[in-house]
Amino acid sequence: MSAKKAQKTKSSKPQKTNANTPMFPRAGFMRRLAAMVYDILMAVAVGMVAAMVMIVTMTLLLENGVLDKHGYEHVSDVIQHSEPFKYTIRIWVSAWVLGFFLWFWRNGGQTIGMRAWRMRLFSTDDRPLTYTRALYRIIASLGGLGTLLVLFDIKNKQSLQDRLAKTEMLVLTKAANDHKAWKEI
């Protein structure tokens, strides 16, 4: 066992390689993919709840005459045939799903899937991970396709979104994955 690995396993507090990055290995493709599956399931659930809230709100507004039904008898017909209603629902759901990732990355560096697979997002420079950088990371991920770069970048294990947003996805130890240990890393 190398000296670095021995240091890492002896204490729950990781040694730092630079001012920001603890000495944990970078996450490989399969671990990232497994976390993405968890997160997709959570994002679908968040999207379904957000859509239901918006549809119930629209139904109440349409049935009580606050919004015009445009000659349709049933609320479902209005929502299905009205582009503004459809786009409102899509934008609302997209905002909630986007907010899911942004909030978790900004507040703790882990989504639910990342926590299950003991991964955490760290900044590779001295700047904190702001909502703007997290949004830039989402856009740069190209819907998850940016993660495929990890398959070709065997040495550095960095995805497209990691490179562009100056972040890295590290695999935590069990002790470091506990939220009580986050103050130390």
Side-chain angles (χ1 to χ4, degrees):
M1 184 185 289
S2 72
K4 287 182 181 179
K5 284 185 181 179
Q7 279 183 337
K8 216 175 9 173
T9 57
K10 285 182 183 175
S11 73
S12 63
K13 186 174 181 180
Q15 302 296 318
K16 305 270 184 175
T17 55
N18 64 30
N20 285 330
T21 308
M23 258 183 14
F24 293 118
R26 286 191 174 149
F29 178 76
M30 293 307 289
R31 185 177 288 263
R32 289 174 188 240
L33 183 63
M36 286 170 60
V37 169
Y38 274 61
D39 288 336
I40 287 170
L41 293 173
M42 287 304 302
V44 167
V46 167
M48 288 172 62
V49 170
M52 187 56 64
V53 167
M54 182 55 76
I55 290 170
V56 167
T57 302
M58 286 181 173
T59 300
L60 290 171
L61 293 174
L62 287 165
E63 287 296 331
N64 290 312
V66 176
L67 295 175
D68 185 27
K69 288 187 179 179
H70 301 291
Y72 292 103
E73 184 178 342
H74 298 287
V75 172
S76 61
D77 293 333
V78 177
I79 293 173
Q80 288 176 359
H81 295 98
S82 172
E83 293 299 318
F85 284 122
K86 285 195 282 189
Y87 284 118
T88 300
I89 293 170
R90 288 178 189 157
I91 291 169
W92 176 259
V93 170
S94 298
W96 275 94
V97 171
L98 189 67
F100 165 79
F101 287 102
L102 294 176
W103 190 86
F104 275 102
W105 284 346
R106 174 64 180 90
N107 298 294
Q110 290 179 305
T111 59
I112 295 168
M114 290 165 63
R115 184 161 171 83
W117 285 93
R118 294 190 347 242
M119 295 186 310
R120 185 167 175 212
L121 192 61
F122 288 93
S123 178
T124 57
D125 59 14
D126 290 333
R127 299 178 303 146
L129 186 64
T130 62
Y131 284 110
T132 305
R133 277 181 71 194
L135 179 63
Y136 182 61
R137 189 174 192 282
I138 287 175
I139 293 168
S141 74
L142 305 172
L145 292 176
T147 306
L148 291 174
L149 186 59
V150 175
L151 290 171
F152 302 105
D153 186 11
I154 297 168
K155 181 181 176 188
N156 295 319
K157 294 183 183 176
Q158 280 203 298
S159 63
L160 178 63
Q161 59 268 26
D162 286 335
R163 289 176 182 274
L164 296 177
K166 294 187 171 111
T167 59
E168 60 185 347
M169 190 75 63
L170 302 181
V171 179
L172 303 175
T173 61
K174 287 182 182 180
N177 197 39
D178 186 8
H179 72 280
K180 295 173 190 168
W182 288 353
K183 293 176 186 173
E184 298 175 6
I185 44 180

